[in-house]
Amino acid sequence: MSEQRPDIATPKRTQEIVRRHGITMKKSLGQNFLIDRNVLAKIVGAAELDANRGALEIGPGIGALTEQLARAAGKVMAIEIDQRLLPVLAETLADYGNVKVVHGDVLKLPLRELMEKELSGCEEVSVVANLPYYVTTPIIMKLLEEKLPLANIVVMIQKEVAERMAAAPGSKDYGSLSVAVQYYCVPELVTIVPHTVFIPQPQVDSAVIRLALRAQPPVEVEDEKFFFEVVQAAFAQRRKTLGNNMLARFFGKEGRDEMNRLLEELAIDPGRRGETLSIAEFAKLANALYLRQKG
Ligand code: SAM
């Protein structure tokens, strides 16, 4: 058996690979490569992989996380947008027969079909990634809204975004992203990561967050799209009251009395701010507004 090569995620090996292939990291693609094996171990551990699990990685870079996933999971599919990294990955992952690298933009690819093709036979699939920060939210929302068959999503993201995803009602970080993520998942902050564990170092600190997919949403809504419209409207102007935000979006100037009656029936004070409403209250409000509109 050939001797296992040293891990990619060390400053020395990363620099050697990048230099030999003449790669300059592109800030526009969020290229910050991980060089810390302890952080990688935390990410991989949080995903609870085993030989029956598949891992979907978004943005493998030069393969630092991918090789750890290849060791821990049954199969790995890694989607990378940057063509320059394909020959690098072919070299760094040559020892792992269970990895498939797919070239493309994760936001544009048919993920369900790709999962069926490349991760067939896996009992469950986890998304595990050190995400490019410029597209974190669109990527997470695509994974959730397409209702992909995932067990969990473990991602390194900007610390502030992780805090918003996990925020509880009433806190300053709570907003439409918290409601959207918590409608589909149970979030858990795994660890905070300093910016020193990347090459090049990003400006901000990061966090690893684990999103365990719910079997069912925690609330029943008449219409999902409309529910999220109401949530967006409630946070449209954060300094405005819930009543004023609802008035602007759903009732118009003349509708204040009607709106007050509706909120009173739901036992929701129009003077509250959107950030104090629980998901259950948003569902109650959205359902009432939906039935009123349907008329
Ligand atoms: N996984 C590597 C690591 O941890 O060292 C690299 C992570 S780096 C933060 C993000 C990676 O995502 C880069 O390799 C970048 O080229 C890739 N990327 C950026 N936008 C992407 C997109 N829309 N679709 C797929 N990959 C993308």
Side-chain angles (χ1 to χ4, degrees), residues 125-147:
V125 175
S126 298
V127 170
V128 194
N130 169 19
L131 286 179
Y133 292 173
Y134 76 106
V135 276
T136 299
T137 306
I139 291 174
I140 300 273
M141 291 320 295
K142 173 173 168 148
L143 298 173
L144 298 177
E145 283 168 0
E146 289 190 4
K147 299 194 165 65

Side-chain angles (χ1 to χ4, degrees), residues 2-287:
S2 68
E3 212 177 292
Q4 194 168 305
R5 279 187 279 182
D7 286 358
I8 298 166
T10 61
K12 197 167 159 228
R13 180 130 190 256
T14 295
Q15 271 154 357
E16 184 272 315
I17 293 169
V18 164
R19 197 179 315 115
R20 192 156 41 76
H21 287 270
I23 302 284
T24 45
M25 272 78 128
K26 283 193 184 166
K27 209 175 164 190
S28 61
L29 290 178
Q31 291 180 345
N32 303 97
F33 297 156
L34 252 173
I35 48 160
D36 186 308
R37 281 174 292 180
N38 294 327
V39 174
L40 283 175
K42 280 191 190 157
I43 298 174
V44 177
E48 296 172 339
L49 299 167
D50 60 40
N52 298 317
R53 278 258 177 118
L56 163 55
E57 187 188 1
I58 296 157
I62 60 169
L65 174 58
T66 327
E67 75 174 350
Q68 306 298 334
L69 296 174
R71 292 176 192 161
K75 286 184 180 178
V76 182
M77 170 168 74
I79 298 174
E80 175 55 61
I81 198 170
D82 187 350
Q83 190 150 20
R84 300 174 310 156
L85 296 173
L86 301 185
V88 183
L89 289 163
E91 177 200 294
T92 57
L93 302 173
D95 293 346
Y96 303 98
N98 60 345
V99 178
K100 171 77 186 179
V101 175
V102 175
H103 177 222
D105 179 346
V106 68
L107 293 175
K108 297 190 181 142
L109 289 171
L111 293 182
R112 185 178 293 270
E113 283 154 47
L114 281 169
M115 279 171 65
E116 276 164 18
K117 186 165 164 240
E118 305 298 348
L119 300 175
S120 64
C122 297
E123 279 169 15
E124 291 193 294
V125 175
S126 298
V127 170
V128 194
N130 169 19
L131 286 179
Y133 292 173
Y134 76 106
V135 276
T136 299
T137 306
I139 291 174
I140 300 273
M141 291 320 295
K142 173 173 168 148
L143 298 173
L144 298 177
E145 283 168 0
E146 289 190 4
K147 299 194 165 65
L148 298 174
L150 300 171
N152 55 38
I153 299 173
V154 178
V155 280
M156 171 108 77
I157 58 179
Q158 202 176 317
K159 180 169 155 264
E160 280 69 26
V161 181
E163 285 166 347
R164 277 166 45 210
M165 288 183 179
S171 70
K172 70 168 178 21
D173 295 326
Y174 185 70
S176 53
L177 182 65
S178 326
V179 178
V181 165
Q182 292 169 34
Y183 178 80
Y184 295 108
C185 313
V186 179
E188 184 197 333
L189 276 179
V190 176
T191 188
I192 305 292
V193 180
H195 61 278
T196 48
V197 301
F198 302 91
I199 295 181
Q201 295 184 6
Q203 303 280 316
V204 291
D205 283 342
S206 303
V208 178
I209 192 167
R210 177 175 187 276
L211 307 174
L213 272 284
R214 295 180 189 272
Q216 297 285 338
V219 290
E220 262 183 49
V221 298
E222 297 282 340
D223 183 286
E224 245 171 41
K225 193 164 161 271
F226 187 75
F227 167 73
F228 288 117
E229 264 175 56
V230 172
V231 174
Q232 291 285 351
F235 290 105
Q237 299 214 33
R238 282 188 83 99
R239 297 213 320 273
K240 273 194 183 175
T241 62
L242 175 72
N244 284 339
N245 274 324
M246 290 299 109
L247 204 64
R249 175 69 180 75
F250 297 104
F251 293 87
K253 280 198 195 88
E254 310 301 313
R256 188 173 289 278
D257 288 346
E258 190 202 349
M259 184 203 67
N260 282 339
R261 272 197 307 279
L262 184 139
L263 288 174
E264 198 178 319
E265 275 167 28
L266 301 173
I268 299 174
D269 181 346
R272 287 168 64 182
R273 295 192 197 279
E275 69 222 42
T276 69
L277 265 71
S278 65
I279 295 191
E281 287 176 312
F282 274 122
K284 201 161 73 164
L285 175 59
N287 288 344

